[in-house]
């Protein structure tokens, strides 16, 4: 449920986690994935560069794992995911930006 202007509440379109996904599981077994950015920063040559942050959030522990990406390419995402899996184990993923991936792939 979320609050909208005027103080009314509206049902959220977010998927609700099951009890198994919230309790009694290992950390980072059930995650949400999202992308933040672009974030502008100056390079060593004083040129303005852009980076993105891939965020992996655990639904069990509410912990987050951040990965810095130089661009939004599929190769960078897969590299980030492989690093995450190597460190935290193989998760069951709930993509929060899946429509964006499909739009970029088809367009």
């Amino acid at each position: 449920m979320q609050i909208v202007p005027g103080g009314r509440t509206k049902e959220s379109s977010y998927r609700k986690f099951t009890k198994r996904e919230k309790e009694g599981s290992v950390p980072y077994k059930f995650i949400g994935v999202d992308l933040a950015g672009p974030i502008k920063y100056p390079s060593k040559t004083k040129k303005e560069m852009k980076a993105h942050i891939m965020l992996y959030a655990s639904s069990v522990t509410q912990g987050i794992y951040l990965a810095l990406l130089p661009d939004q390419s599929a190769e960078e995402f897969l590299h980030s995911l492989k690093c995450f899996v190597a460190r935290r184990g193989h998760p069951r993923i709930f993509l929060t930006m899946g429509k964006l991936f499909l739009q970029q792939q088809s367009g």
Side-chain angles (χ1 to χ4, degrees):
M1 190 177 303
Q2 69 186 81
I3 298 175
V4 294
R8 297 179 316 239
T9 58
K10 171 180 139 179
E11 282 299 316
S12 175
S13 62
Y14 294 115
R15 178 187 173 285
K16 298 203 181 342
F17 288 109
T18 64
K19 185 174 180 179
R20 180 176 156 238
E21 293 166 352
K22 291 188 288 187
E23 301 173 3
S25 184
V26 295
Y28 294 100
K29 182 67 177 176
F30 299 97
I31 64 170
V33 179
D34 211 346
L35 183 70
I39 299 168
K40 297 177 183 178
Y41 67 95
S43 68
K44 291 181 181 178
T45 61
K46 305 296 184 201
K47 183 180 174 187
E48 188 177 86
M49 304 291 289
K50 293 180 183 178
H52 296 79
I53 297 174
M54 186 61 65
L55 181 131
Y56 300 92
S58 172
S59 67
V60 177
T61 63
Q62 297 177 353
I64 59 171
Y65 178 90
L66 303 174
L68 188 62
L69 307 179
D71 58 47
Q72 284 183 301
S73 67
E75 293 82 17
E76 290 296 334
F77 169 72
L78 290 174
H79 181 270
S80 164
L81 183 61
K82 287 177 185 178
C83 290
F84 175 83
V85 169
R87 234 185 147 94
R88 300 292 181 180
H90 196 288
R92 179 174 173 197
I93 300 175
F94 300 107
L95 289 177
T96 58
M97 52 181 276
K99 290 181 183 177
L100 177 64
F101 282 132
L102 292 175
Q103 287 173 356
Q104 288 182 355
Q105 189 177 35
S106 64

